[in-house]
């Protein structure tokens, strides 16, 4: 029998306290916040990293095998064929994304996002001194193409260079953008000359797809994509990601070679093993996440039916509409203070996150059930 991936009780995970997920809050707070899994990486990854450690292969990485593994995984999994020459390693997705933003826009210049969206987008745009312009998702969690058309037109009216940060699939809602939506987005980007930067870190975990790589849609090849094995195979601390520059990108869309030295050697070793040999593990993991998503639905329906929830179409993140509970803009703060359970703060994902909270489903069913009990205790 195959053993479960998402397992282990709170004492086990808390004993590893050097990591941020279990280490940040007091020991009586159950953490289901940052996007890390309560899971050991798959055997091929462990074997590859352990072998590299044993042979002292811990210096700087060399060669193209990492980006070639990324491109080969994309071709096999999504029929997305892109020459490896368009791909380059970076330390992590946010470093690559920030650097692309810095290159394709100007200080103080506009970068459009669609909230609710990955909260670190806001912090990193602040860090590189860019102006965030929000064109929120619709109430149904889809890209609002009319609004994006107007917003792109407005930000370009002054002649400033502009970018759009696409979260594909979307963290925190789990929305899997469709081929039609992405094709329409690419047409708008071309009309208004806006560079689309597509963060595809969550792409391997899809429950209700298919996932469509942005660069693969008609017109998408003018954009840039970022891919990584780090979310799907739980390798975030090992540090390695890939920037893919579309074949028809403007000539100013280029990364300095110096950046490619920031990628971690062991992160590359781990990702090559994950993309090459981690498919069975990923399938099992995705199934366990879907079971947890359904379990959360049943528990909320029984115990806190006022919360709005639909199982995510992708990711291991659940987006809960807590507005009917009367807990204010940031229900996560109330659940943490009164219930001793930590979720991610809804408003940190932008305007459209007020009254919401994000729950990490990549944990054991027992921990998930205990989290719902603690939510009830907070009410
Ligand atoms: C959408 C998205 N992008 C980027 C990241 C961070 O990626 P990295 O650690 O490679 O910078 C996360 C982490 O949760 C994420 O959800």
């Amino acid at each position: 029998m195959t053993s479960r991936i998402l397992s282990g009780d709170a004492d086990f995970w808390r004993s590893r306290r050097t990591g941020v997920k279990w280490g940040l809050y007091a020991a009586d707070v159950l953490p289901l916040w940052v996007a890390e899994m309560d899971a050991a990486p798959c055997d091929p990854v462990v074997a590859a990293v352990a072998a590299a450690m044993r042979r002292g292969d811990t210096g700087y990485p060399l060669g193209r095998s990492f980006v070639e593994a990324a491109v080969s995984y994309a071709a096999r999994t999504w029929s997305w064929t892109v020459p490896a020459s368009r791909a380059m390693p970076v330390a992590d997705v946010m470093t690559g994304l920030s650097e692309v933003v810095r290159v394709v826009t100007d200080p103080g210049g506009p970068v459009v996002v669609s909230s609710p969206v990955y909260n670190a987008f806001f912090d990193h745009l602040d860090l590189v001194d860019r102006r965030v312009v929000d064109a929120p998702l619709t109430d149904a969690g889809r890209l609002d193409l009319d609004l994006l058309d107007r917003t792109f037109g407005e930000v370009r009216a002054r002649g400033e260079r502009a970018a759009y940060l696409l979260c594909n699939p979307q963290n925190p809602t789990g929305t899997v953008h469709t081929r039609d939506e992405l094709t329409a987005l690419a047409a708008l980007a071309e009309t208004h000359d806006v560079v689309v930067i597509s963060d595809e870190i969550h792409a391997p975990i899809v429950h209700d797809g298919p996932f469509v790589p942005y660069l693969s849609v008609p017109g998408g090849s003018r954009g840039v994509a970022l891919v990584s094995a780090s979310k799907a195979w739980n390798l975030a601390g090992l540090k390695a990601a890939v920037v893919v520059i579309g074949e028809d990108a403007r000539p100013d869309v280029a990364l300095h070679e110096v950046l490619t030295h920031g990628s971690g050697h062991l992160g590359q070793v781990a990702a090559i093993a994950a993309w090459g040999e981690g498919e069975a593990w990923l399938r099992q993991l995705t199934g366990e996440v879907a079971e947890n998503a359904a379990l959360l639905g049943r528990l909320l329906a029984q115990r806190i039916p006022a919360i709005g929830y639909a199982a995510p179409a992708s990711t291991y993140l659940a987006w809960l509409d807590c507005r009917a509970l009367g807990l204010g803009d940031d229900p996560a703060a109330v659940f943490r203070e009164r219930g001793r359970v930590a979720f991610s703060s809804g408003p940190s994902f932008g305007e459209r996150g007020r009254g919401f909270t994000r729950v990490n489903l990549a944990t054991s069913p027992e921990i998930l059930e205990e989290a719902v009990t603690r939510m009830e205790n907070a009410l």
Side-chain angles (χ1 to χ4, degrees):
M1 204 184 88
T2 318
S3 55
R4 282 191 61 87
I5 295 171
L6 297 171
S7 60
D9 61 18
D11 289 343
F12 171 76
W13 291 110
R14 195 169 283 118
S15 69
R16 311 175 318 162
R17 289 194 66 102
T18 61
V20 70
K21 184 180 185 186
W22 285 87
L24 185 68
Y25 295 110
D28 67 331
V29 173
L30 192 66
L32 291 86
W33 60 290
V34 67
E36 294 178 16
M37 299 178 196
D38 295 337
C42 60
D43 290 343
V45 165
V46 174
V49 172
M53 294 293 288
R54 271 197 299 271
R55 61 177 185 261
D57 202 0
T58 47
Y60 299 111
L62 169 72
R64 305 284 300 162
S65 49
F66 171 60
V67 293
E68 279 160 9
V71 162
S72 154
Y73 178 80
R76 277 196 324 275
T77 312
W78 305 304
S79 306
W80 170 30
T81 49
V82 61
S85 60
R86 308 297 299 179
M88 62 202 71
V90 282
D92 54 30
V93 165
M94 291 314 296
T95 303
L97 187 146
S98 304
E99 193 55 26
V100 175
V101 164
R102 240 172 40 75
V103 167
V104 304
T105 62
D106 298 294
V111 178
V112 181
V113 301
S114 293
S115 79
V117 74
Y118 179 45
N119 43 11
F121 279 8
F122 299 99
D123 303 330
H124 283 257
L125 290 174
D126 192 39
L127 194 64
V128 296
D129 185 28
R130 284 347 187 226
R131 192 168 86 243
V132 177
V133 180
D134 192 5
L137 298 181
T138 65
D139 288 339
R142 312 301 322 180
L143 293 177
D144 188 334
L145 294 161
D146 292 335
L147 179 59
L148 283 169
D149 191 13
R150 286 200 303 281
T151 308
F152 287 175
E154 280 161 22
V155 297
R156 293 280 296 132
R158 289 194 276 166
E160 293 174 294
R161 294 193 301 161
Y164 175 64
L165 295 191
L166 173 68
C167 198
N168 183 35
Q170 186 102 8
N171 170 8
T173 57
T175 307
V176 178
H177 305 297
T178 65
R179 182 173 300 281
D180 285 352
E181 288 167 333
L182 296 177
T183 304
L185 172 65
L188 295 176
E190 181 175 19
T191 302
H192 297 287
D193 192 15
V194 169
V195 178
V196 175
I197 304 167
S198 184
D199 174 345
E200 307 193 338
I201 196 169
H202 287 283
I205 300 184
V206 169
H207 312 287
D208 188 7
F211 163 74
V212 179
Y214 176 74
L215 264 55
S216 73
V217 305
S221 56
R222 281 184 295 275
V224 177
L226 291 117
V227 298
S228 169
S230 76
K231 288 297 123 178
W233 283 275
N234 203 27
L235 306 170
L238 277 74
K239 293 288 171 196
V242 175
V243 174
V244 184
I245 298 186
E247 290 175 87
D248 300 308
R250 282 185 335 222
D252 61 327
V253 185
L255 283 192
H256 197 288
E257 204 218 326
V258 122
L259 259 185
T260 68
H261 292 282
S263 180
H265 189 173
L266 294 178
Q268 294 197 5
V269 166
I272 291 168
W275 284 321
E277 303 166 71
E279 201 50 42
W281 184 93
L282 183 70
R283 251 199 317 276
Q284 184 186 335
L285 183 273
T286 303
E288 291 183 20
V289 170
E291 282 167 20
N292 278 355
L295 172 66
L296 180 62
R298 288 195 299 280
L299 293 171
L300 292 177
Q302 286 158 10
R303 303 201 207 158
I304 322 177
I307 290 182
Y309 166 73
S314 67
T315 77
Y316 51 87
L317 307 165
W319 187 232
L320 307 192
D321 181 351
C322 303
R323 288 175 295 183
L325 296 178
L327 302 179
D329 282 349
D330 191 4
V334 179
F335 290 130
R336 198 168 61 245
E337 282 308 306
R338 294 200 215 143
R340 312 310 284 165
V341 59
F343 304 133
S344 297
S345 155
S348 73
F349 296 89
E351 271 301 305
R352 284 294 164 101
R354 289 177 192 274
F356 286 73
T357 190
R358 192 192 73 179
V359 175
N360 185 337
L361 296 167
T363 189
S364 69
E366 294 76 21
I367 289 178
L368 187 59
E369 184 154 3
E370 169 65 18
V372 176
T373 300
R374 290 178 183 224
M375 291 172 86
E376 263 186 299
N377 295 343
L379 300 175

